[in-house]
Structure formats: C-alpha cells, structure tokens
Amino acid sequence: MWARELAVSAPGKVILHGEHAVVLGKVALAVALDLRTFLRLRPGAEGRLSVSLPGVGVRRSWDTPGLRALRGRIAGKGRGQEPLPRGSEGLSVLEFAGIAAGASAPESLATLAFLYMCLAISAKDVPSLDILVWSELPTGAGLGSSAAYAVCLAAALLMVCGAISCPLQEGESTARWTEEELTLINSWAFRGEQVIHGNPSGVDNAVGTWGGALRYQAGKITPLKRVPTLRILLTNTKVPRSTKVLVAGVKEKILKFPAIMNPVLDSIDAISQECQSVLEAMPANPSPEHYPVLEEFFDINQHHLNVLGVGHPSLDRLCQVTASHSLHSKLTGAGGGGCGITLLPPDTSPLAVEAAKQDLCACGFECWETKIGAPGVTLHSRSSLSAQVLHALALS
C-alpha cells in the first residue's frame, strides 16, 4: 500500500538545431525546456485507481478488482514488452476504458497510456492511487508534452511498485534517481510514447528523463555530459501545421534539386556539431564570446530552414520583431508555424526582453521567458514547488 504524497516533474523539449536534416541521418541537438509537467501522487481510496488530467479534460476512476481482471486477460502476451493498443490485448484495454478503436483525441490517448502503464508496470497488483497531472507545456506544439507525461507516469508507477527507489530524504527539496533507474524510467516512458504516437523516435522521452541536452543521429541518442543553462524566449505562433506534410515537402525539394539541397543539409549538420562543441566548452569556461557565436548559428540555420521550405510568414515576423530588439531567433521543430526560440544572452536588459515579449504578444503569439538545459525527471518535496504548481496540484 503506497502511503506517501509526492510530486514528480519532467521537462519539455525543443530542437536547438537539426530540424528536418535529422530525418536524413544528420545530427540534431535536443534540449530540455524548463517548462515542466508535474504529477501529484497520493494514496487513493481502497480499491480505486483515479487519474485527473485537467489539461485535456480527463477525470476517471476505476475499481482495482476490474483492472486486476483486465491484467489477467493480457497476461502472457508479451506484457511489458510491446505497446498494448495493438492486437487483441489492446482491444481489451480500449473496451475497458470505453474508448473507440482508432481514437486519436488527446484525452483518449492520454487515458490509454495511463491504463497501459499502470497495468504493465504493476507486476503483482494494481495499486490504489490518486494521480493528478498538470503541465506548463501547451499540447500539440511540438514541445514534448506527451513524453513529459509518460516520463512522470513511469517514474511514479515504478516507484510505487518498488522497481526504483524513492530517493527523496527528509529535509531535501528535490532528488533524482540513479543512472540505472533513469534508464528503466526512460524505457517505460518510451512504451507510453508508443501508445500515444505509434512510432516515436525516443528523443522526447530521453530529454524528459535525463534533461540537459542530447545529440540524436540515425537512431542513436547520446546525452551531452555538461551543458549550460541558457535563457530563451519561447514563442508559439499558434499557426497549426502538419509535420508529415512539411517532411514530405523537404524530401520532394531534395529529390528535385539534390546538388543545391544536399549542401544545405550538410551545413545544418555542421551547425549542430559546432554548436555541440560550444555548449560543451561553456560550463568549464563560460565567456561572453560564446553568445555571439550561438546567435550566428541561430541566424544561419533559420535561413537554411527557409531554403528547405519549412518557414512561414508568422516565423519571419517573429524573427523581425526580435531582431528589432537586437535578439536572434529561429524556428524549432517542424516549422510551417508552430514555435520559435530566441536566445537571451546574460547582458540582455530586462527592458529589452519585456519590450520584445509585448511586441510578440501584439502579433497574437503566446510567449514564455524560460530556460533550456533544464534538469530531467525530478522528485519534489512541497517546499520546492511554486505557489502556482502547488495550487494546480491541489497541494496548497
């Protein structure tokens, strides 16, 4: 019987460099965004498993004997090895949750991932728990919100089942797990992501687990050893886009003009690698000279992404607005709208940041001042949480 009330958080992510080129085997750098998803874990009423996901309008509760019976129906079918919503065992979970087969709404997928992870991780019995998840991350903006959710769930459920420790000691404000435990959290979070996305790359859940920054190339994920925490503005243009359509458009352009486009992809790859070198040099010997280099990388890569055809007038506007305040921006993720990031060097005046935010909001955009290179999945005491988070998790 789980007896403690705890909070777990995991960060979102942005792609710093390597968008689109990564699909063609080039290097991408993904960094943890200090906008986080928080999970409150507390003992539930005896015989009940409850989940509240206010961001997607979910509040569900199940009796644990019914879940135990469902676990019995899927036992022996590779439980814990493959994502559940495929084949007959997946249909059992869908039917139990009252979700139509093929449902793609965020609330359906979030519920399905929750049930799958509870059933698959709880090797002996389904625990009586009350779980609430609240996020600072907007959904559907390419910022890794589903992965942060899956990472929080994996950490909380593995802890409840005793598969990983509860590292938070009395008097500590935060704690993190061992490397071995983080690897287990990451593997389960990836399975949760498979439920939601089908065929994810594994980058988002790895960033959510380890934090900091990581290098991704041809399926290989390598966390960077030491990276600085950099201040940024994150701006959501709120322009919807289809990643699938944008990726197809880039592919078509490369096939049409290979002699022109392949050098652009090679240059994007070089930016990612050069940026990695700068980031790894910064913690040991931070220098004001590093920031102009990072700003130039932003400018060059933004031009390259426009050449690939994944720019958008809203992103051009974002770059123009921030440039008028001597700040440098680029799109992050798929492009075609979506989000952009703006680097804020240490000597940027608060007045310039505020003026840039006001001008961006006047364009109808949503804007956050945040950081990249944030820590990965973390266990929190109440004292380490802001008033806003405490209120959202009903802990205040």
Side-chain angles (χ1 to χ4, degrees):
M1 176 69 182
W2 184 255
R4 291 183 71 178
E5 181 175 83
L6 289 169
V8 178
S9 78
K13 75 95 182 52
V14 291
I15 302 297
L16 195 60
H17 293 292
E19 294 93 342
H20 290 282
V22 71
V23 178
L24 299 148
K26 308 300 185 184
V27 173
L29 297 179
V31 289
L33 182 65
D34 203 21
L35 292 173
R36 304 179 75 85
T37 291
F38 293 86
L39 180 150
R40 185 208 68 204
L41 172 70
R42 63 169 50 148
E46 185 59 40
R48 301 296 294 176
L49 175 67
S50 303
V51 63
S52 296
L53 311 172
V56 290
V58 170
R59 184 166 181 80
R60 299 288 299 269
S61 183
W62 300 273
D63 65 279
T64 53
L67 289 167
R68 262 197 301 275
L70 180 59
R71 265 190 85 256
R73 284 160 66 185
I74 64 170
K77 297 188 181 182
R79 183 181 59 77
Q81 303 305 312
E82 298 296 332
L84 275 180
R86 310 281 183 272
S88 58
E89 65 268 40
L91 291 175
S92 297
V93 180
L94 287 164
E95 182 187 315
F96 182 85
I99 297 169
S104 59
E107 61 272 20
S108 299
L109 294 173
T111 305
L112 206 55
F114 175 80
L115 272 180
Y116 159 60
M117 293 178 78
C118 284
L119 293 170
I121 290 174
S122 55
K124 293 177 183 172
D125 200 1
V126 179
S128 299
L129 296 172
D130 179 11
I131 287 175
L132 185 149
V133 182
W134 174 81
S135 188
E136 296 171 328
L137 292 158
T139 56
L143 300 175
S145 60
S146 67
Y149 168 62
V151 169
C152 286
L153 271 182
L157 294 168
L158 287 165
M159 199 165 51
V160 166
C161 295
I164 61 174
S165 66
C166 179
L168 190 69
Q169 301 300 316
E170 197 68 42
E172 288 184 329
S173 57
T174 61
R176 301 203 65 221
W177 289 270
T178 66
E179 193 65 23
E180 188 180 354
E181 289 172 324
L182 289 173
T183 300
L184 184 60
I185 291 169
N186 185 55
S187 68
W188 277 108
F190 180 67
R191 292 176 203 169
E193 276 278 83
Q194 285 179 306
V195 173
I196 295 169
H197 290 300
N199 187 30
S201 68
V203 169
D204 290 13
N205 50 275
V207 174
T209 301
W210 278 284
L214 59 81
R215 171 190 173 116
Y216 179 78
Q217 185 177 26
K220 187 182 179 190
I221 297 170
T222 312
L224 275 57
K225 291 299 177 196
R226 292 184 309 159
V227 290
T229 302
L230 303 176
R231 288 172 61 222
I232 63 159
L233 281 182
L234 172 71
T235 302
N236 186 357
T237 67
K238 302 187 187 174
V239 174
R241 73 273 185 268
S242 164
T243 301
K244 190 175 178 182
V245 169
L246 289 158
V247 169
V250 171
K251 189 176 180 183
E252 186 183 338
K253 197 168 265 201
I254 293 164
L255 289 170
K256 191 174 179 183
F257 305 115
I260 297 169
M261 303 310 293
N262 284 323
V264 176
L265 296 171
D266 289 340
S267 182
I268 291 174
D269 184 63
I271 290 169
S272 295
Q273 299 196 54
E274 291 282 335
C275 184
Q276 178 181 342
S277 298
V278 172
L279 292 177
E280 289 181 324
M282 284 178 79
N285 183 27
S287 161
E289 293 167 17
H290 287 129
Y291 287 91
V293 175
L294 294 176
E295 289 175 333
E296 283 196 81
F297 289 163
F298 267 39
D299 293 343
I300 298 166
N301 203 357
Q302 177 62 20
H303 288 302
H304 285 342
L305 290 161
N306 278 328
V307 170
L308 291 181
V310 297
H312 188 272
S314 64
L315 293 163
D316 293 339
R317 183 79 188 115
L318 188 162
C319 291
Q320 289 162 1
V321 167
T322 55
S324 72
H325 297 282
S326 302
L327 298 170
H328 300 253
S329 304
K330 67 176 284 290
L331 69 84
T332 182
C339 291
I341 50 176
T342 305
L343 189 63
L344 300 177
D347 60 357
T348 310
S349 80
L351 285 174
V353 176
E354 200 51 47
K357 283 166 70 175
Q358 285 182 8
D359 288 352
L360 290 165
C361 291
C363 296
F365 303 155
E366 195 171 8
C367 200
W368 299 266
E369 188 177 345
T370 183
K371 294 172 185 162
I372 52 176
V377 62
T378 301
L379 194 55
H380 296 265
S381 71
R382 184 185 291 236
S383 65
S384 69
L385 300 172
S386 70
Q388 183 190 20
V389 175
L390 288 169
H391 178 73
L393 298 181
L395 291 171
S396 52

